[in-house]
Amino acid sequence: MSFFLEVLIGGLMAGVLYSLVALGFVLIFKASGVFNFAQGAMVLFAALTLVRLMEILKGTFSPFLLALAITIAVMIGLALVIERLVLRPLVNQAGISLFMATIGISYFLDGFGQSVWGSDIYKLDIGMPKRSLTLFESVFEGGVLVPGGDLVATLIAGLLVAGLAIFFQKTRIGRALRAVADDHQAAQSVGIPLNYIWIIVWTAAGLVALVAGMVWGSKLGVQFSLALVALKALPVLILGGFESILGAIVGGLIIGAGEKLSEVYLGPLVGGGIENWFAYVLALLFLLVRPEGLFGEKHIDRV
Amino acid sequence: MFYREAGQFKTSYGADQAVFPILQDRVFIALWLAIGFILVPLVSTEYLFRAIFIPFLIMSLAALGLNLLVGYCGQLSLGTGGFMAVGAYAAYNLSVRIPGLNPLVAFLLAGGVTTVVGIVFGIPSLRIRGYYLAVATLAAQFFLDWVFSRVAWFTNNSPSGSITAPPITLFSLTFETPVKKYLLCLAILVLFAVVAKNIVRGRIGRVWMATRDMDVAAEIIGIRPMYAKLSAFAVSSFFIGVAGALWASVHLGSWEPLAFDINRSFSILFMVIIGGLSSILGSLLGAAFITLLPLLLNQLPQWFGIAISTAMISHLESMIFGALIVFFLIVEPLGLARLWHIGKEKLRLWPFPY
């Protein structure tokens, strides 16, 4: 039983990390209707920028804070550039060409980040706790081991979600974002500046990518495989629904737990390594039942 | 001037419906075929066949298949690599397990197997569309990758997971030299291109295009979406499966699952986008472009005497691919094929612009 719980909790923690990446996707989709394939590349780019800047600024009084500030500025700059060079010329194009454009951005960012900052594995140490905690020692023999870093990550994810939820529901800009996602043209005609909104959204997504990059980076080291974490976040998205922040969290938890449990209990039966596709197949089967995901909006098509 | 079609009268419905109704086009195609079948084998070196022509031909076939699905039917698929792998492993298993099977038959059967797999993974397209479908096809990619690397039966219990294809013998002719392999691929590509052209001109092609443009409207005017989408997945998978079989057993010879990973899917999607969505010619142009660009990038610094590390070259490559995708989507969403079309329009009036 304690082993089961340990696997389950490990899965849930991994799920939280997937949710962190998925949040970036949801943000952009919810606020501009663009499915941003480049989120993974942004995670890698943000983490690389941060870790390399920390190395460069080693002699200063606080390398981490300085590097963080510069990285945030870089992510805002990135949002500006993407809006100006990619999104603005593609206003009112079909969603699928915007999606393919973000695949292009993703390739570009992967190459750009690595050619500027190098493509080795960098250690990122931002003071995440390394120690594991032992929970429920009184209930089970030996207790349940939980890595401390994952707990902090969960906390960060929770804060981020709360912040984003307030931002979307309560602020003026949040309302404008939702309006743009609903209908570009209608939003423009009531005086919501589309370009400005897009910059805000991509900046927010860039910052979420930075957080995800920091958390994943201190777990795995900053390296190219961070960009692939985004591929893990995709099934989370389709399970939770593209438009729902809550969906990203719940989807992440389900995928994370399902993945680890299936790997441990089903994996040995079929040769192992099913982690890679289990999430996708789970999401796929789920889509056959509910095509809009758990919390997605049901679209009604009119001719 | 070059494309003056005045005086070319059509006197029958057949002539009016021809694939190439204009004489100049027919001459042009004949010229290209002559270059492909006669001139290239005469002047080209072994290296060029291995590095450029054979990969180009096979990738063209795969791009053609994906274009039928993405360009003509509007179903975005990111699982091309997985389907190519199905074709590759099916062809291998067929030729290993059925001794004396004609390789051409094996290739076609491999295409058939891929068709079945493609239809299975195409089923979600009946309920979901757009991005959801794109993500769902990624499921095919990852699942198939896993199956071929873990299930020993598919690799004939090879311990390392890598496979060496048996030599190709057709009617007591052995296809061992690059020239022969090239001619085989070229013949297959020409055949499939003609088939594809005629499919998209015909009823199925129009059904696909109606579904692509607006599936709900298409359904209302009496097109069965299930038939339209699944037939697109089937035909496209067949092409891709044959391409995969050729890629593995003719081009690579020996391969491992990594040959068909997700990067393969993306590069074929790029060929379709850069070459031109819903264009047969575009698939070929895109494949040529994507095959040549990395080679060019490798050579260019050497010509100018600049030393660049291989890692840097691969980063530059992905940067340039990414930038080009965005560039084409913005400037010319219909790709290189559209440029060719514009060129043709200009040649019509040349040397007198209006």
Side-chain angles (χ1 to χ4, degrees), chain B residues 20-44:
Chain B
F20 299 111
I22 302 170
L23 177 69
Q24 285 90 335
D25 275 340
R26 287 196 291 274
V27 172
F28 211 71
I29 288 290
L31 211 63
W32 270 112
L33 287 179
I35 290 174
F37 276 107
I38 301 164
L39 193 63
V40 170
L42 283 179
V43 299
S44 195

Side-chain angles (χ1 to χ4, degrees), chain B residues 40-55 176-182 251 295:
Chain B
V40 170
L42 283 179
V43 299
S44 195
T45 63
E46 198 158 305
Y47 167 77
L48 284 179
F49 282 122
R50 279 190 204 284
I52 298 179
F53 288 120
I54 295 175
E176 79 288 353
T177 60
V179 186
K180 285 179 182 168
K181 287 177 175 176
Y182 163 80
H251 175 53
L295 292 171

Side-chain angles (χ1 to χ4, degrees), chain A residues 29 35 37 85 95 99-101 104 107-108 111-112 238 242 271-274 277 280 284 287-288 291 301-302, chain B residues 76 127-129 131-132 135-136 138-139 142-143 146 150 214 216 220 263 266 273 312 315 318-319 322 326 329-330:
Chain A
F29 194 82
F35 179 16
F37 195 82
L85 292 184
F99 169 64
M100 292 192 287
Y107 263 70
F108 183 83
F112 181 68
I238 49 178
F242 277 137
I274 62 175
W277 56 264
Y280 277 95
L284 192 61
L287 278 184
L288 290 176
D301 287 309
R302 291 192 180 83
Chain B
L76 188 57
R127 293 217 59 183
I128 57 182
R129 53 173 80 102
Y131 321 113
Y132 282 95
V135 177
L138 272 181
F142 287 115
F143 180 70
W146 176 83
R150 295 299 169 122
M214 191 162 184
V216 184
I220 287 169
N263 286 324
F266 279 124
I273 298 174
M312 192 65 193
H315 298 329
S318 67
M319 274 167 75
V326 174
L329 282 169
I330 292 171

